[in-house]
Each structure stands twice: as C-alpha cells, then as structure tokens.
Amino acid sequence: MTTRNTTVLVVEDEALLLYSIADELRDQGFDVVEARNAAEAIRALEAHPEIRLLFTDVDMPGAMDGLALAAAVRNRWPPVKIIVTSGKGRPAPSALPDGAFIPKPYTSHAISEVFRRLGG
C-alpha cells in the first residue's frame, strides 16, 4: 500500500491525541479526516466515501463506543480496514472486528505499519 492519497479516519475524544496522531499521519502521506466520537465518525464516513482506514479509540463519550463503531463500520462499509486502540487493556478477541488492535501508548509509525499490513 502506498500512503499517498489513502484516506484515514481517526476517531479519538482526547483532543491532543487526535491532533497529534492526525498530524503525524499527514506527515507520512495519509489524507486524514478527524472525529471526536462515533456520531462524528459516521457522518464523516457518509461524507467521505474515499475513507479506506479507520483508527478508533475504544473509550469515547456518546451512545456508541469504539467497538460498536468498528462493528457498525464493518457492517456498513466492509472495504474499510479497522484498527482499534485502548489504554485500558485489550478487548476480548470476539469484541474486535477483523483488523488489528494497537495498545496505547502507540506511535504513528506503528499505526502506519499496521495499515500497510492490512493492505488499506
């Protein structure tokens, strides 16, 4: 996979983490769409059909957490590759969609390597 023109949706409720990882991924050549919760993420997916990769935190405010968002994306946008992250432990394998899990703290390099491995 080449990162040029690959669009990533980053979903993170902690503003500093969101801005940091989004900027780092842009520096690596990804196009990045940002969302602070699952509702914003769904709207972004509807508005940006070019999104091919989702990077979401598990713990987020609102009616839907990152695992529920990942399941919704898997069902509605099956071509989108998914990476889930959490600083509070690894979710049960049955709770994770096909894709990958990266524990916090993470690096943008680790995320982009997983994206490349997923073929997004």
Side-chain angles (χ1 to χ4, degrees), residues 9 45 49 51-54 73-74 77-82 98:
L9 173 58
L45 285 156
I51 292 171
R52 290 293 167 254
L53 302 165
L54 168 67
V73 169
R74 175 61 55 236
W77 294 278
V80 174
K81 306 294 184 185
I82 301 169
D98 294 335

Side-chain angles (χ1 to χ4, degrees), residues 5-118:
N5 299 324
T6 299
T7 303
V8 178
L9 173 58
V10 177
V11 187
E12 171 62 64
D13 64 310
E14 295 183 40
L16 289 177
L17 286 176
L18 174 63
Y19 301 143
S20 174
I21 193 62
D23 286 346
E24 290 176 26
L25 290 171
R26 284 184 186 103
D27 288 347
Q28 292 183 32
F30 290 97
D31 292 330
V32 179
V33 177
E34 301 172 12
R36 293 174 304 212
N37 56 50
E40 284 185 15
I42 296 294
R43 287 192 297 272
L45 285 156
E46 290 171 344
H48 298 277
E50 71 276 12
I51 292 171
R52 290 293 167 254
L53 302 165
L54 168 67
F55 179 65
T56 184
D57 189 17
V58 170
D59 298 307
M60 291 185 295
M64 185 183 295
D65 69 7
L67 294 175
L69 172 62
V73 169
R74 175 61 55 236
N75 290 334
R76 189 165 171 195
W77 294 278
V80 174
K81 306 294 184 185
I82 301 169
I83 297 176
V84 174
T85 188
S86 177
K88 297 181 179 177
R90 183 183 187 97
S94 61
L96 291 171
D98 294 335
F101 175 81
I102 296 178
K104 287 182 179 179
Y106 50 76
T107 65
S108 61
H109 179 74
I111 296 165
S112 63
E113 286 302 312
V114 172
F115 286 161
R116 285 179 183 88
R117 189 185 82 228
L118 291 175

